Each structure stands twice: as structure tokens, then as C-alpha cells.
Amino acid sequence: DTGVSQDPRHKITKRGQNVTFRCDPISEHNRLYWYRQTLGQGPEFLTYFQNEAQLEKSRLLSDRFSAERPKGSFSTLEIQRTEQGDSAMYLCASSLAGPGVAQYFGPGTRLTVL
Amino acid sequence: SQQGEEDPQALSIQEGENATMNCSYKTSINNLQWYRQNSGRGLVHLILIRSNEREKHSGRLRVTLDTSKKSSSLLITASRAADTASYFCATDLDSNYQLIWGAGTKLIIKP
């Protein structure tokens, strides 16, 4: 399967700990997106990369959140000093460049902060 | 902030019936996309309709777009149990990278 993969699928952590998630996009896609989704809601945009460049960050992304895509392939999302409000599903998607393209999503990483 | 609002929030129908979901949005768009999400899973792209298109078909799916009313509808014909999922509309604004999402319609198909 050459779809978008995310690791881990589930993460349980204690408040105050740091966590890191990984996303491997579809190989020929140069755009990569991170979203957060809470129960009963649609995804909320967090940040976006074109190749290795991080081009946009949402106001939702506090300074405890950082994302990288060092070689323009996989990406990591790190949350420092986790809070209970960070509990959510973190979704990664990738797409080709250009307007009006479909985004292809990974299965998500479900984070629970105790 | 959420751009789209789906209506209804939840819909329960018998297998074989048609299901219609609506999406309204607030600002001008380049295109509108519909996605499906099975419980606890990632989202799957269903169909994209551009702002200059009025109707699009894909298999049992029919999407309409009315830019004057800032609304779209998704029709699933001859529903199946496997169509049970949440359906989201997402709009691509003037910037071409960020999708703005609604809260979704939860569709339940009763066998």
C-alpha cells in the first residue's frame, strides 16, 4: 500500500510530556498538511509544507507545537509540554501541487493526554 | 474557524434509499470537495467540484454546487450499509493549499 502512513496510531501520555508523531506521505506528493480533529468536528488546519518549506501555520499552533519536513519527504509533528486539551486525532495528508487537488489522508494518530 | 456547515448533522435511512447532505459556506471558493470518514479512521476523498461547475457525478455520487447561494449538496443513490460514515465538505479558498472544513453529517444506513 503506497498511501499516507502515520506512526504511531495511538499515543497515551501524561500531561507535561513531549510527544512526536511521524507522517510518511505519498512519495510523489510535494505538499504535506497536518490537521487536528476532535470528536464530532471536522479537521482543523494546523500547518502545511511544500517540499521542505513550511509555508503556513495556523493560529491554533501554539509555540508548543513544531513541525518539520527536513528532506521534503516524511514529516514530524512535536508537541512539547502536552496539555489535556491537546487530546485529539492528528491527521496528516499529502497532495500534488496546484489548485483544486485532492488531499490524501493517513489513518491519523490518536493522542490521549492524561 | 469552520467555513462549511453541513446539514443535517445526522441522517438515518434504510438501505437502498437515497441520502442527501447539504453544505453551506461563507466566502467565495475555488472549489469544494467532499470527503468520507469511517468511524475513527482517516478521511477519503470522494469528489471535487470547481467553482465554475454546477454538477458532477461519480458512480452513485452526485454533487451540485450553487455559488450564488454558497451551497453544495451530496446525493448518494441506492445507499448501502458500507456508506455508513461521516461526510464532510471542505472548501478551497483563494489560497490553494488550505481546506476549510465543516463539522460533517453522520450518515447511518440501516440494513
Side-chain angles (χ1 to χ4, degrees):
Chain A
D1 191 331
T2 56
V4 179
S5 62
Q6 292 186 246
D7 182 69
R9 294 289 305 277
H10 303 274
K11 179 70 176 179
I12 299 173
T13 191
K14 293 182 179 179
R15 190 174 50 188
Q17 298 294 305
N18 298 344
V19 294
T20 300
F21 309 142
R22 176 178 170 127
C23 171
D24 287 88
I26 294 172
S27 57
E28 60 265 31
H29 287 177
N30 55 2
R31 289 188 181 170
L32 187 147
Y33 313 79
W34 285 99
Y35 293 89
R36 181 173 66 189
Q37 185 180 27
T38 53
L39 197 63
Q41 298 297 314
E44 293 176 298
F45 172 81
L46 294 179
T47 191
Y48 145 77
F49 291 84
Q50 178 140 327
N51 301 313
E52 66 275 11
Q54 187 174 18
L55 297 186
E56 185 75 13
K57 285 176 64 172
S58 166
R59 293 189 304 271
L60 296 172
L61 217 62
S62 75
D63 55 7
R64 296 184 299 106
F65 288 70
S66 62
E68 293 182 344
R69 195 183 183 197
K71 297 181 181 179
S73 56
F74 74 92
S75 175
T76 57
L77 177 69
E78 181 183 16
I79 309 174
Q80 295 182 326
R81 305 181 304 281
T82 52
E83 302 172 356
Q84 286 186 325
D86 297 331
S87 295
M89 176 78 88
Y90 289 83
L91 296 166
C92 175
S94 69
S95 76
L96 296 169
V101 294
Q103 295 184 14
Y104 294 83
F105 282 79
T109 294
R110 182 168 295 284
L111 173 66
T112 302
V113 182
L114 303 175
Chain B
S1 63
Q2 291 187 325
Q3 151 88 315
E5 291 186 8
E6 286 90 343
D7 171 57
Q9 290 185 330
L11 179 62
S12 180
I13 61 172
Q14 291 294 137
E15 192 169 20
E17 293 180 340
N18 296 342
T20 299
M21 289 158 273
N22 302 296
C23 168
S24 59
Y25 56 92
K26 299 173 185 173
T27 62
S28 61
I29 61 172
N30 287 325
N31 63 73
L32 185 145
Q33 304 183 33
W34 285 91
Y35 287 77
R36 182 187 73 224
Q37 185 176 37
N38 292 89
S39 181
R41 310 284 289 275
L43 292 109
V44 175
H45 180 261
L46 295 176
I47 196 165
L48 180 152
I49 186 165
R50 301 187 192 283
S51 60
N52 60 354
E53 296 176 313
R54 292 296 166 260
E55 188 171 312
K56 204 159 184 180
H57 297 255
S58 177
R60 294 184 296 113
L61 306 180
R62 173 178 168 253
V63 168
T64 61
L65 179 64
D66 186 334
T67 52
S68 66
K69 295 181 179 178
K70 292 186 170 59
S71 68
S72 174
S73 68
L74 170 66
L75 168 67
I76 303 174
T77 60
S79 63
R80 305 168 182 170
D83 295 329
T84 294
S86 291
Y87 291 81
F88 294 90
C89 69
T91 49
D92 182 339
L93 306 182
D94 289 340
S95 57
N96 61 7
Y97 55 86
Q98 184 180 149
L99 292 179
I100 309 296
W101 300 76
T105 292
K106 187 170 184 177
L107 175 65
I108 297 173
I109 307 299
K110 295 179 287 186

